[in-house]
Amino acid sequence: MKTLLHTGLLAGIMFALGLAGCATQPGSSPDQQPATRSQASAKVHTELAAMYYERTQYGVALEEIGKALHAEPNYAPAYNVRGLVNMALREDQQAEEDFKHSLQLDGSDSGTLNNYGWFLCQRGKERDSIKQFMAALKNPLYTTPEKSYVNAAVCSRRSGNVKDAEEFLQKALTLQPNMPEALLEMAEMSFANGDYAGAKSYFTRFAQISAPSSLTAENLWLAVRIERKAGDKNSEQSYALQLRKRFPDSRENQLMQHEQ
């Protein structure tokens, strides 16, 4: 796992639904009110669908999307959320159609561009995904550009473009210096490049802003290897102890035991 979307933080930090407000404006004519009510209904059901998606209740999420599209067939955010649900269900053709249709309705929505980019990256189309992330970043109203920068970094690295990946991560950290996902990714990249001092610095910053209980077996195994290369025996033993105690049956613990 090397990105926001793979850390279990997908719903909270990696996608933006871009749900537009639909409050009735003072002075609206009677003819305008039904359309406004239908949009408001679509918004509510889409937000509910997103909530159920976060809880991995995909069937209920799809039901809510159906209600949203019944109220407003051209409500772009509903197709975005349905794309995420179908992506999770590995209904890839439908997911791609949903993302594309959402963008046909609202091509400037950075959240949907980000999600579609991540979908492409997850399906082995890393280079195509970068185009979507860059399009998302062109929107001056995008409120969380650091997310697309991290996704672009992950997908660039997967495609073998380490230089671009590092540049994207540095941009993410410029926008949000304590972004856990960017710090972790930089720690991994630094370690892979043999920059153990840099890896230790980034991982230490990551660990300082993360609850100890939130560290995964993969995180702890990376920390053990970093500290081993950095020559910090005390820190290595501390992380190793956490890995053994919290994840005794993990692949990472088995790897650690094998290397000792």
Side-chain angles (χ1 to χ4, degrees):
M1 187 295 307
K2 297 180 175 63
T3 182
L4 303 175
L5 291 171
H6 268 67
T7 61
L9 300 175
L10 166 69
I13 58 183
M14 218 38 231
F15 72 90
L17 296 178
L19 303 180
C22 300
T24 302
Q25 297 298 318
S28 295
S29 69
D31 290 340
Q32 292 175 317
Q33 290 178 3
T36 301
R37 286 198 297 270
S38 67
Q39 290 170 2
S41 177
K43 177 181 183 292
V44 168
H45 287 297
T46 299
E47 289 174 336
L48 286 171
M51 180 186 70
Y52 287 119
Y53 164 76
E54 292 177 7
R55 297 177 181 177
T56 69
Q57 295 177 259
Y58 301 132
V60 184
L62 289 174
E63 290 179 5
E64 292 297 331
I65 289 298
K67 294 175 183 178
L69 293 176
H70 178 75
E72 184 60 54
N74 291 324
Y75 191 59
Y79 290 100
N80 179 28
V81 178
R82 194 169 72 177
L84 290 169
V85 175
N86 281 318
M87 178 181 171
L89 295 172
R90 299 200 69 85
E91 296 288 345
D92 289 353
Q93 181 177 348
Q94 184 61 56
E96 184 157 18
E97 289 177 1
D98 284 334
F99 288 133
K100 286 183 175 180
H101 191 58
S102 182
L103 290 171
Q104 286 174 356
L105 294 169
D106 183 3
S108 66
D109 185 78
S110 293
T112 304
L113 288 163
N114 179 74
N115 293 342
Y116 183 39
W118 184 246
F119 168 78
L120 292 171
C121 182
Q122 288 294 91
R123 300 305 184 254
K125 299 179 181 178
E126 292 89 354
R127 293 184 180 180
D128 290 337
S129 75
I130 303 301
K131 298 176 183 178
Q132 303 301 319
F133 298 133
M134 294 303 98
L137 290 163
K138 287 180 180 178
N139 183 355
L141 300 179
Y142 191 14
T143 58
T144 54
E146 66 276 5
K147 300 176 184 180
S148 286
Y149 276 126
V150 172
N151 276 351
V154 171
C155 300
S156 293
R157 186 181 177 194
R158 287 184 182 181
S159 68
N161 195 335
V162 178
K163 182 177 180 294
D164 281 359
E166 184 173 355
E167 290 180 0
F168 288 138
L169 288 172
Q170 292 294 355
K171 289 179 179 179
L173 289 171
T174 297
L175 293 169
Q176 192 177 128
N178 290 325
M179 187 178 188
E181 298 76 20
L183 292 170
L184 180 59
E185 187 70 16
M186 281 298 297
E188 293 181 350
M189 287 185 58
S190 298
F191 180 79
N193 293 335
D195 179 9
Y196 305 124
K200 180 179 174 67
S201 175
Y202 284 116
F203 192 88
T204 298
R205 288 169 60 188
F206 166 74
Q208 287 174 343
I209 59 177
S210 304
S213 60
S214 71
L215 296 179
T216 66
E218 186 178 9
N219 298 158
L220 293 169
W221 175 225
L222 173 63
V224 169
R225 289 177 291 154
I226 289 174
E227 301 298 355
R228 183 179 296 163
K229 290 291 188 180
D232 189 334
K233 292 294 184 182
N234 290 334
S235 294
E236 177 189 346
Q237 292 173 4
S238 175
Y239 284 123
L241 180 61
Q242 293 181 62
L243 180 55
R244 282 196 299 271
K245 284 190 171 183
R246 293 182 54 208
F247 305 100
D249 300 323
S250 67
R251 171 180 173 274
E252 289 77 10
N253 186 48
Q254 294 174 5
L255 288 170
M256 182 177 69
Q257 300 299 334
H258 179 71
E259 291 191 6
Q260 288 180 342

